[in-house]
Amino acid sequence: SAQEEKSLLAEEKRMLQQEICSLQQKCEDLNAAEESQNAANNSLLGMQDELKAEIQSLEDSVTTLTSQLATHEETTRGLESAQEEKSLLAEEKRMLQQEICSLQQKCEDLNAAEESQNAANNSLLGMQDELKAEI
């Protein structure tokens, strides 16, 4: 009976030692897994920092492009305004050229009328001289 108890205790001791070894192995495995997880976390943190830097760079690019777009729009408005002014000046030039043509025509008409008047005056002077001579 004592021998059986001793044998049972020895078997229980062996099983407990196996369980201790199994638990020690699990602890080592968990420690290794934790180290691996920490390394993965550190890698992810590094990637997160890289992504933050890339996002900042893209935001800076957006800011630069927004500024360039505003400058371009301002330039475009300036060009449109200049084009409108050019059109107005062209219309004013056309109207002035028409006015010049009209005034030139009036000058020609006045010159012709003056020549005609001079001819009539000369004719009258000639008749006046004839009348004087008759008198």
Side-chain angles (χ1 to χ4, degrees), residues 77-132:
R77 281 192 298 274
L79 290 174
E80 289 170 352
S81 177
Q83 186 62 41
E84 288 172 11
E85 188 173 342
K86 181 180 175 184
S87 294
L88 289 173
L89 289 172
E91 178 62 18
E92 189 175 342
K93 177 182 174 184
R94 187 190 62 75
M95 290 173 63
L96 288 172
Q97 285 174 331
Q98 284 181 340
E99 183 73 18
I100 288 169
C101 287
S102 175
L103 290 173
Q104 286 173 335
Q105 184 61 49
K106 285 181 183 178
C107 283
E108 290 174 11
D109 292 347
L110 285 173
N111 286 337
E114 182 183 12
E115 287 179 19
S116 176
Q117 188 64 43
N118 286 339
N121 285 342
N122 288 337
S123 175
L124 287 174
L125 286 173
M127 285 192 236
Q128 187 180 29
D129 288 342
E130 287 176 13
L131 287 173
K132 282 182 182 177

Side-chain angles (χ1 to χ4, degrees), residues 10-125:
E11 178 61 23
E12 191 175 337
K13 178 182 175 184
R14 188 190 60 75
M15 289 175 63
L16 287 172
Q17 285 175 335
Q18 280 183 340
E19 191 170 338
I20 288 170
C21 284
S22 175
L23 290 172
Q24 285 174 336
Q25 185 61 48
K26 284 182 182 177
C27 282
E28 290 175 10
D29 291 347
L30 286 172
N31 286 337
E34 182 183 17
E35 287 179 19
S36 175
Q37 189 64 43
N38 285 339
N41 285 343
N42 288 337
S43 175
L44 288 174
L45 288 173
M47 285 194 271
Q48 186 180 35
D49 288 343
E50 289 174 10
L51 287 174
K52 283 180 182 178
E54 189 172 338
I55 287 169
Q56 184 60 51
S57 174
L58 290 172
E59 287 174 348
D60 292 346
S61 294
V62 167
T63 300
T64 300
L65 289 173
T66 300
S67 174
Q68 289 175 345
L69 178 60
T71 301
H72 176 72
E73 288 172 346
E74 186 177 327
T75 302
T76 300
R77 281 192 298 274
L79 290 174
E80 289 170 352
S81 177
Q83 186 62 41
E84 288 172 11
E85 188 173 342
K86 181 180 175 184
S87 294
L88 289 173
L89 289 172
E91 178 62 18
E92 189 175 342
K93 177 182 174 184
R94 187 190 62 75
M95 290 173 63
L96 288 172
Q97 285 174 331
Q98 284 181 340
E99 183 73 18
I100 288 169
C101 287
S102 175
L103 290 173
Q104 286 173 335
Q105 184 61 49
K106 285 181 183 178
C107 283
E108 290 174 11
D109 292 347
L110 285 173
N111 286 337
E114 182 183 12
E115 287 179 19
S116 176
Q117 188 64 43
N118 286 339
N121 285 342
N122 288 337
S123 175
L124 287 174
L125 286 173

